[in-house]
Amino acid sequence: MLRKAILFITIFSISIFSLEAQKKDLASEWEWFRALETRISTADTEDLLENKKEELQSAKDIDRNDIESKVSKELAFIHINKTNDLEKAMSLLIRALDIDEKTENEIALIFTYIGFYQLFDQVEDYYYGKEFLEKASNLLRNYDLPPLRLYINQKLGYTYYATGETGKSIEQHQNILHYANSERIPKVEADANTDLADIYANENEYEKALSYYKKALKTYRRIKSPIQEAECLNAVGNIYLLQNKSNQAYDNYVAALDILQNNKNAEAQLASLYNSVGRYYLKEDNPERALANLKLANPLAQSSQNQELVQETYALLSKAYKAIGDYKNALEYSELFKALEDFLQKEKNDRSILKMQSRYSINQKQSLIDQLELNRIQKEFELEEEKRFKNFLIIMVALIAIILVLIFTLFLVQRRSNSKLKTANLKVKAQNDELEDLNATKDKFFSIISHDLKGPLNSLTSFSGLLMNHTSSLSTEEIQMLAKDLDKSLKNLFALLENLLQWSRSQTGNIEFKAEEVDLTEMLSENKKLLEKQAENKNIEIEVKNTKPVSAFAHPNSITTVIRNLLSNAIKFTEDGGKIKMGVIEENKRYVVKIADNGVGMPKDVASKIFRIDTKHSTQGTAKEKGTGLGLILCKEFVEKNGGEIWVKSEEGKGTIFSFSIPK
Ligand code: ADP
């Protein structure tokens, strides 16, 4: 998949680069075309033909199709523009067309089409000419070369006018005008304006024609093109004359005269202008002045070799002589006019016979061109198919990529929500466990209250009942013993209540475990002092191992309670004459307080129960001391609230070591 994508990207970038290269090729080809045009008009035709024929032969010899096509075109252009051997030109162009199509060389093809256009234009076969121009124009759409586009648009503009498609012709000239304006090419802009004005003048749309001529006039003046400027002035004058605006016509002619009179290279233009002025004076009923101007026009027209201009001058001269009553001269010029007309007509006929002959042979070859065209269209179609398939593949790849991305994102989202669900589940489970714990705690709590309070209270009531009912029958010693028992029971009850109360306060969060600096050794010593009396009763020795102060950070009341409970248990579960050792060990992250006795110890299964409220366990001490089973639970709670841990190591009959830690 990835490799395919890379392949497509490579193809895409190559095609972009090659497009850039092709643009360059087209530009150099255009240079070649322009150079050829000047060469054809300046160089000696025979030499040029000889030269090119040789080139063509060597191109064939070395099998260089591209050069053969190019030189064939060069020869064709020479024949079209110079020798008029149009049949030869046609054969050459067909050969070039064949090569260009086989090699799929679009750029070369553009110029071959231009060749065909020139050929058909020469025989005034504008329809075919137009077809080839349009083909060239279509091909050019893939590239961007403004001067060539301009050339083709201009030719299209003239050809459309020749085929009577005035609207299309105007459109082409407008396009050129638009382009010239945006690119600021004043000469092109003025020419386009003139072309448009000429068309509108021919179509008798005088106002439009005038406005375009005036635009052109302005530009020609600005870029200092005096001859064109004068031509425009002449054309404007002619339109005014047609509109019977004699004064305006006159002003324009005078302005044009001012420009042309001193210009030696403008014989034809000046002749045409004098004709215009002659026509003006004839219209103004001033044949003398008309004649004067027309006499100036005549020699200029003759030397310009523009036969139509000469003809026009003859006609006007005949008219002017007739107007002043010089019928002899009028007749003479009329005859001259006729003779010229006959001559021109004959020439035209000759030319059209020639053209017809050429056209006939050209048309015969047209089927060849058509066949070539058909092949090209088919090839184009195949290419189009290929392109469509390529696009389809690209779209597929893109779609698959998008789908993959979507699937991946979906997967990520799902994974994230799964993990969220998991943590939520864990939280719920933890809460559930906590709730279960709380529930168990509550149950135990009630059972302790009902069970453990009931026992001591029962014995208390029986003691007090005995004392009350048998006071008189009891001896003082007996009363004393009873009172002692009563006191013991009360103390037990009190201890139980105190433990219960503390535990419940810690459970409900009513004790604030605020840490402060405490001396652990001192705490051990204080508790030793507190419970020394009890220990003495059982002949138990208590030793605090180290006397150095150990300062820790903890909640003092809760830690003292823990120590007191553990020490009291050690006394309780140690036989007469036993020994208890207490001390603090410093580890790297915590302090560990140890309270060890050589008492009765406990079995393994008991050791696992004593810290849990749901399995509360209690046994009587060695002197039959009663317990509540709550002390160690409270110890665990308090140690943990201080961030530490509590654990026990015990062996039945040998003794027990309770340890708890406080983090540093
Ligand atoms: P109580 O001592 O009031 O019964 P505790 O929670 O303090 O309640 O102790 C629970 C039980 O753990 C005791 O009843 C006893 O069986 C056992 N125990 C505690 N301390 C020791 C000890 N130092 N030696 C032997 N057994 C002990």
Side-chain angles (χ1 to χ4, degrees):
M1 175 75 65
L2 189 73
R3 273 172 56 192
K4 262 195 179 167
I6 291 171
L7 191 74
F8 277 121
I9 291 168
T10 325
I11 289 172
F12 187 64
S13 29
I14 286 175
S15 60
I16 285 178
F17 283 127
S18 68
L19 202 73
E20 277 308 309
Q22 280 176 341
K23 269 188 199 167
K24 253 190 213 155
D25 285 354
L26 183 64
S28 69
E29 230 37 19
W30 170 244
E31 292 297 322
W32 156 80
F33 179 72
R34 301 306 303 212
L36 181 68
E37 275 188 335
T38 27
R39 195 130 178 251
I40 288 173
S41 62
T42 54
D44 180 79
T45 307
E46 285 308 312
D47 288 351
L48 203 57
L49 272 176
E50 207 52 46
N51 217 322
K52 291 295 162 191
K53 273 180 193 159
E54 268 168 32
E55 273 181 35
L56 187 65
Q57 194 49 53
S58 25
K60 281 179 185 164
D61 290 345
I62 57 166
D63 253 347
R64 281 288 299 269
N65 265 345
D66 51 340
I67 300 176
E68 190 189 335
S69 153
K70 203 165 184 172
V71 182
S72 296
K73 265 175 267 185
E74 290 178 327
L75 276 166
F77 281 122
I78 298 167
H79 284 303
I80 293 166
N81 291 294
K82 288 286 175 179
T83 67
N84 237 6
D85 187 350
L86 300 182
E87 225 184 307
K88 184 87 198 137
M90 184 77 171
S91 306
L92 286 160
L93 284 175
I94 287 175
R95 177 66 191 137
L97 185 69
D98 194 18
I99 294 171
D100 296 346
E101 281 180 352
K102 274 195 186 124
T103 54
E104 287 175 40
N105 189 342
E106 282 194 350
I107 292 169
L109 209 50
I110 291 176
F111 292 97
T112 307
Y113 287 154
I114 290 176
F116 277 113
Y117 152 72
Q118 287 195 358
L119 180 79
F120 286 110
D121 188 64
Q122 195 64 248
V123 288
E124 290 169 14
D125 210 333
Y126 299 117
Y127 288 96
Y128 278 128
K130 181 180 77 180
E131 246 176 53
F132 280 101
L133 269 183
E134 282 172 345
K135 276 179 191 167
S137 171
N138 284 341
L139 274 187
L140 195 60
R141 239 173 244 162
N142 301 336
Y143 310 90
D144 181 30
L145 192 67
L148 179 54
R149 169 136 309 275
L150 197 65
Y151 172 87
I152 290 177
N153 283 355
Q154 250 158 6
K155 300 294 181 200
L156 267 176
Y158 300 138
T159 309
Y160 281 138
Y161 198 66
T163 55
E165 293 162 278
T166 314
K168 273 186 169 177
S169 172
I170 289 174
E171 202 180 299
Q172 288 300 330
H173 291 299
Q174 297 275 27
N175 283 346
I176 295 165
L177 192 61
H178 192 74
Y179 167 76
N181 271 330
S182 66
E183 296 292 313
R184 296 177 198 286
I185 319 173
K187 169 83 171 78
V188 176
E189 179 212 314
D191 288 349
N193 274 320
T194 313
D195 286 334
L196 281 166
D198 288 344
I199 291 172
Y200 282 119
N202 273 341
E203 301 295 311
N204 295 337
E205 293 201 43
Y206 296 136
E207 290 308 324
K208 274 189 184 162
L210 274 177
S211 97
Y212 280 110
Y213 276 132
K214 282 176 181 168
K215 279 182 204 158
L217 196 58
K218 241 187 188 165
T219 314
Y220 284 136
R221 201 169 282 159
R222 185 159 58 83
I223 61 170
K224 306 222 174 351
S225 272
I227 296 179
Q228 273 94 344
E229 187 188 339
E231 275 183 319
C232 269
L233 286 167
N234 188 4
V236 170
N238 288 344
I239 287 174
Y240 279 135
L241 200 64
L242 283 168
Q243 289 181 319
N244 292 323
K245 294 177 183 166
S246 307
N247 291 343
Q248 274 132 303
Y250 181 76
D251 291 345
N252 278 284
Y253 292 142
V254 170
L257 268 174
D258 267 354
I259 296 168
L260 288 183
Q261 261 166 348
N262 305 315
N263 203 319
K264 295 213 162 49
N265 302 319
E267 283 177 337
Q269 286 84 356
L270 196 54
S272 165
L273 184 59
Y274 281 133
N275 278 349
S276 298
V277 177
R279 204 180 290 115
Y280 162 79
Y281 279 120
L282 278 174
K283 206 168 184 178
E284 289 291 294
D285 274 335
N286 193 340
E288 286 82 9
R289 297 209 67 165
L291 202 58
N293 278 287
L294 292 169
K295 277 178 180 167
L296 289 173
N298 196 15
L300 289 168
Q302 304 283 350
S303 69
S304 80
Q305 298 206 325
N306 182 333
Q307 298 306 326
E308 264 138 39
L309 197 60
V310 176
Q311 206 186 2
E312 187 191 25
T313 315
Y314 287 161
L316 287 167
L317 273 168
S318 165
K319 236 181 181 172
Y321 278 120
K322 197 174 165 190
I324 58 164
D326 184 345
Y327 296 108
K328 188 172 160 273
N329 268 321
L331 189 69
E332 195 178 312
Y333 278 109
S334 164
E335 270 165 5
L336 276 172
F337 173 83
K338 270 244 175 76
L340 190 56
E341 189 172 54
D342 287 347
F343 171 76
L344 287 178
Q345 190 55 50
K346 192 174 169 291
E347 206 179 44
K348 207 172 166 188
N349 286 346
D350 289 352
R351 219 174 38 233
S352 61
I353 288 167
L354 213 106
K355 273 181 187 163
M356 262 164 72
Q357 281 170 345
S358 313
R359 197 183 296 179
Y360 174 72
S361 53
I362 285 169
N363 284 350
Q364 270 186 327
K365 287 186 179 157
Q366 185 67 32
S367 64
L368 243 165
I369 299 177
D370 289 346
Q371 188 52 45
L372 286 175
E373 268 310 280
L374 218 69
N375 291 346
R376 201 179 68 80
I377 288 166
Q378 196 166 348
K379 220 176 253 170
E380 231 166 47
F381 181 73
E382 278 164 14
L383 269 175
E384 193 66 27
E385 277 287 284
E386 218 169 83
K387 211 162 131 189
R388 220 174 288 151
F389 182 66
K390 213 159 88 185
N391 284 347
F392 170 75
L393 275 183
I394 290 172
I395 289 169
M396 282 305 282
V397 168
L399 266 179
I400 289 170
I402 290 169
I403 289 171
L404 280 180
V405 168
L406 273 178
I407 289 175
F408 186 64
T409 352
L410 261 172
F411 168 74
L412 279 184
V413 168
Q414 206 167 29
R415 208 173 62 172
R416 206 175 303 153
S417 60
N418 269 356
S419 81
K420 263 188 194 161
L421 210 71
K422 230 183 221 167
T423 41
N425 272 346
L426 280 176
K427 215 169 157 184
V428 168
K429 198 174 172 299
Q431 279 173 344
N432 225 16
D433 288 351
E434 207 176 312
L435 267 177
E436 262 172 24
D437 266 3
L438 276 174
N439 215 22
T441 309
K442 185 204 77 190
D443 288 350
K444 211 70 209 173
F445 191 69
F446 283 123
S447 101
I448 290 166
I449 291 177
S450 61
H451 206 261
D452 297 58
L453 278 180
K454 225 171 119 190
L457 278 173
N458 260 344
S459 57
L460 270 180
T461 38
S462 52
F463 282 139
S464 58
L466 260 177
L467 276 175
M468 232 161 52
N469 297 329
H470 305 282
T471 327
S472 51
S473 62
L474 287 171
S475 68
T476 323
E477 285 89 54
E478 279 172 327
I479 291 173
Q480 240 174 8
M481 236 172 66
L482 273 175
K484 223 173 165 182
D485 281 342
L486 194 67
D487 178 63
K488 217 165 126 192
S489 281
L490 268 174
K491 272 187 180 140
N492 241 339
L493 193 63
F494 183 72
L496 172 69
L497 269 179
E498 200 178 51
N499 270 349
L500 257 180
L501 213 72
Q502 282 217 47
W503 180 77
S504 84
R505 269 163 63 200
S506 90
Q507 283 289 305
T508 49
N510 276 343
I511 300 177
E512 202 188 341
F513 288 87
K514 212 169 150 193
E516 50 190 78
E517 209 175 314
V518 292
D519 183 350
L520 293 174
T521 333
E522 199 188 305
M523 268 187 177
L524 289 176
S525 304
E526 270 171 9
N527 278 294
K528 178 190 164 187
K529 229 182 266 168
L530 211 68
L531 296 175
E532 208 138 45
K533 196 95 195 123
Q534 258 183 49
E536 264 169 26
N537 286 341
K538 288 176 89 174
N539 286 315
I540 292 169
E541 186 196 334
I542 302 173
E543 184 192 345
V544 178
K545 281 293 255 186
N546 43 350
T547 45
K548 267 197 305 185
V550 175
S551 131
F553 209 63
H555 177 237
N557 280 349
S558 58
I559 296 299
T560 302
T561 306
V562 173
I563 293 171
R564 194 166 58 246
N565 263 297
L566 293 178
L567 184 57
S568 142
N569 274 354
I571 296 167
K572 203 152 76 174
F573 296 103
T574 300
E575 308 278 3
D576 206 89
K579 194 165 178 182
I580 296 169
K581 288 179 186 170
M582 300 194 289
V584 185
I585 302 168
E586 188 178 345
E587 292 180 358
N588 62 342
K589 277 186 178 165
R590 59 185 190 174
Y591 296 109
V592 177
V593 178
K594 287 186 180 286
I595 295 166
D597 63 63
N598 57 357
V600 294
M602 62 182 101
K604 275 225 156 59
D605 63 311
V606 172
S608 67
K609 287 179 189 169
I610 51 179
F611 293 114
R612 291 168 53 186
I613 188 147
D614 54 336
T615 52
K616 189 175 75 92
H617 175 88
S618 183
T619 51
Q620 277 194 354
T622 48
K624 299 245 175 338
E625 299 102 325
K626 277 195 177 150
T628 61
L630 270 178
L632 288 174
I633 293 161
L634 190 68
C635 288
K636 182 173 162 30
E637 182 83 20
F638 281 2
V639 167
E640 283 175 357
K641 283 274 180 340
N642 276 283
E645 282 175 277
I646 186 165
W647 64 98
V648 65
K649 227 171 135 186
S650 183
E651 211 173 312
E652 247 179 314
K654 282 199 170 168
T656 306
I657 307 168
F658 275 95
S659 317
F660 71 89
S661 65
I662 295 171
K664 275 183 182 171

